[in-house]
Amino acid sequence: MPTGVAIRDVREQLFAAADRILLRDGPSALTSRAVTDEAGCAKGVLHRHFDDFDAFLAEFVLDRVDRMDPQAAALRESAGTGSVVGNLADALTAVFSSVAVAIVPLLIFRDQLRARLRETWPAGVPVLTEAAVMVAGYLTAERDLGRIASHAEVEQLAPTLIGAAHLLFADRASAPPEAGAVRKMVSTVIAAVVRE
């Protein structure tokens, strides 16, 4: 792209390019050159908007976490409707069909990115931690409605569901798990507490 040509929504174009690279090629392929090439802009564009590549990646990860807010709200609003297993299976499939599953190895792969994120995100893997908060909020709402047992430890069930779902979706080389496999996993994890 010639110098001096305005690019609309630069950050979003660069973030969308990073999504595509992560989903298609994995974290080892994610470089500043790959991102700008994928976005169709000069390499300097990224560095005009971000201090360095790790700053770009940190903002990218946090942006993807923020994008989970509408999904979390929709899951909470589904409490009391449909089935608990179905609602959770659908929500987990949506989380892990997104770029979330590719962000985990990116964070493992890049020490400087983890260090940068620790400045604003004190513990855990941001996307997975936020997904666990989303699931815990939903389980709490269902517990309040009596569809989950009053003794259910939602703070333990939520990360258990996230971890088990991550294992189902983590193999980037294979097809995503079938809906029945996700539902079976959810059903198994919450079997002792579901009251539908």
Side-chain angles (χ1 to χ4, degrees):
M1 175 169 283
T3 304
V5 174
I7 302 173
R8 294 178 197 214
D9 302 320
V10 172
R11 292 169 51 86
E12 185 48 42
Q13 285 187 28
L14 293 170
F15 289 167
D19 276 348
R20 292 189 300 272
I21 294 165
L22 272 175
L23 291 171
R24 183 183 62 230
D25 304 320
S28 61
L30 195 62
T31 64
S32 59
R33 171 64 68 199
V35 170
T36 53
D37 286 351
E38 182 77 22
C41 62
K43 186 174 182 182
V45 169
L46 188 144
H47 295 287
R48 276 195 298 275
H49 293 273
F50 301 93
D51 292 339
D52 57 33
F53 192 55
D54 285 313
F56 164 78
L57 291 175
E59 289 193 40
F60 164 70
V61 170
L62 294 174
D63 181 76
R64 285 351 192 203
V65 168
D66 289 343
R67 287 173 178 251
M68 294 175 71
D69 290 346
Q71 184 181 1
L75 181 59
R76 271 192 313 275
E77 289 170 13
S78 73
T81 66
S83 75
V84 173
V85 169
N87 292 342
L88 285 168
D90 291 347
L92 291 169
T93 298
V95 166
F96 288 102
S97 296
S98 71
V99 75
V101 80
I103 285 176
V104 175
L106 173 67
L107 293 169
I108 293 167
F109 183 69
R110 296 189 66 97
D111 295 338
Q112 291 300 326
L113 173 57
R114 283 194 316 278
R116 177 100 33 151
L117 285 169
R118 286 290 172 257
E119 295 170 10
T120 57
W121 197 275
V125 175
V127 173
L128 298 182
T129 304
E130 191 67 16
V133 168
M134 175 182 78
V135 169
Y138 170 73
L139 289 171
T140 299
E142 290 289 16
R143 185 176 61 190
D144 293 346
L145 293 170
R147 295 191 343 148
I148 294 286
S150 61
H151 68 275
E153 297 286 342
V154 298
E155 295 79 16
Q156 281 70 46
L157 285 172
T160 301
L161 285 163
I162 297 302
H166 186 249
L167 289 174
L168 286 176
F169 284 89
D171 183 7
R172 291 183 52 246
S174 300
E178 294 182 7
V182 178
R183 288 179 65 87
K184 182 178 180 183
M185 177 277 293
V186 170
S187 180
T188 301
V189 170
I190 66 170
V193 297
V194 71
R195 298 290 181 255
E196 332 182 74

